[in-house]
Amino acid sequence: MPARTWILTGSPENLAATRAHDFSVIGLKERRRRQALEIELGDRLIFYVTRAMAFAASARIAGELYEERTPIWPGKARNPDPYPWRFPIEPEWVLEEPEWIAAETLVGQLEHIAKWPREHWKLAFQGQLRVVGNADAQLLCARLADADADAAAVRA
């Protein structure tokens, strides 16, 4: 079975915590255990950042699922979650905030978003985790790679 691409929705604070760990580990919420069991070695995660409504990074699953409850991600203050279902990951593309890809620029292009009325496209990213099809995966990876290359050219 080919590797799947998952969109992982999280806050800017959770992305910062993942970045602080060099994109070496990711955790899923307590109630996401069933989905965690579906994720396989080599699957890709694309990070969608709430509030910014943008795509910021991608990583590959680099190891097996394990349970760990040591806090890494801040989550919501009123409803803390240990994100216990964890995987080792390896970063692919990691953008700085100015290079993040606004999801709104992909409305009309991503099949996943087309499931909702155009004016309610934000509903496509409710909840922590969802799998997307190959066409969406290719488009998102191309956009992340282009943004990363553009940022590298500016830095050079």
Side-chain angles (χ1 to χ4, degrees):
M1 189 158 123
R4 289 178 288 182
T5 298
W6 302 79
I7 295 179
L8 180 71
T9 296
S11 69
E13 295 81 11
N14 282 1
L15 182 70
T18 302
R19 183 184 298 272
H21 284 81
D22 298 319
F23 283 85
S24 64
V25 63
I26 195 63
L28 302 180
K29 291 180 178 181
E30 184 81 53
R31 67 180 177 269
R32 297 291 175 185
R33 183 174 186 273
R34 189 173 53 217
Q35 283 181 305
L37 291 169
E38 295 177 28
I39 296 173
E40 297 181 356
L41 186 67
D43 281 2
R44 172 181 287 120
L45 298 173
I46 295 182
F47 293 78
Y48 174 83
V49 184
T50 60
R51 297 195 305 271
M53 296 178 285
F55 298 100
S58 72
R60 290 283 191 166
I61 301 296
E64 298 298 319
L65 172 67
Y66 64 97
E67 182 178 354
E68 171 65 47
R69 295 178 179 274
T70 304
I72 292 178
W73 299 275
K76 295 181 180 177
R78 291 182 305 233
N79 190 17
D81 193 306
Y83 299 84
W85 316 118
R86 299 185 185 179
F87 292 92
I89 59 173
E90 294 176 350
E92 287 184 307
W93 299 286
V94 178
L95 307 177
E96 298 299 324
E97 189 169 351
E99 289 89 37
W100 290 357
I101 300 159
E104 190 168 15
T105 65
L106 298 172
V107 172
Q109 296 178 56
L110 288 175
E111 293 172 0
H112 177 70
I113 293 176
K115 297 174 187 175
W116 286 266
R118 189 176 187 89
E119 65 273 13
H120 299 296
W121 68 266
K122 296 172 194 167
L123 294 174
F125 304 106
Q126 296 291 311
Q128 187 187 23
L129 191 66
R130 82 240 358 107
V131 70
V132 295
N134 289 335
D136 286 357
Q138 290 174 0
L139 176 60
L140 288 165
C141 288
R143 292 291 302 270
L144 288 164
D146 289 348
D148 187 57
D150 291 347
V154 168
R155 288 189 297 268

